Amino acid sequence: MSLFFGLIPDSAASGIWAMVVASLLPLAMALTAKAIGGFNLADNAHPRDFLQGTTGAAARANAAQQNSYETLPIFLAAVLVAMLFFVPQLIINTIAWLYVLIRIGFCVAYITNLATFRSILWTLSMACSLMLFYLAIRVSM
């Protein structure tokens, strides 16, 4: 069985892939920040100094990178706990991929300086993680 016209399968692999994609988002934001900021090979000696010196969209992409690292452990733990407590896999996968899509939207909103929309997306992404924890608690009762 699958949801959303077959886009989200009910196998554990789908949830694991969502974790992989979410784990790669900070890297994608770092590369975006470097590309927008004009990073070159000489900057590789001190890449953090380079990123700290960026402004505008590059600085916001770097901030999106940092925020992605900050929320990632909560998401990863939530997915694993939900799997450990046998929340139905299709529900886990749907929420996990929803989290990924919301986080991609969050990064785009951050880079394009849509502050209020970004905050709404951040809240929704955290709600996904908290929902997985909640479902695990409900199943374990």
Side-chain angles (χ1 to χ4, degrees), residues 78-97:
V79 173
L80 292 174
V81 165
M83 287 178 170
L84 178 69
F85 285 94
F86 302 107
V87 172
Q89 193 63 50
L90 185 57
I91 293 171
I92 295 170
N93 296 350
T94 301
I95 294 172
W97 281 109

Side-chain angles (χ1 to χ4, degrees), residues 25 67-68 71-72 74-75 78 95-96 98-107 117-132:
L25 277 176
N67 185 270
S68 294
T71 63
L72 183 61
I74 298 164
F75 169 70
I95 294 172
L98 182 60
Y99 171 89
V100 169
L101 291 175
I102 291 169
R103 289 303 299 182
I104 290 169
F106 169 87
C107 291
F117 186 53
R118 179 190 83 221
S119 295
I120 291 168
L121 292 174
W122 181 89
T123 302
L124 291 173
S125 71
M126 290 303 293
C128 288
S129 295
L130 295 175
M131 179 57 76
L132 288 170

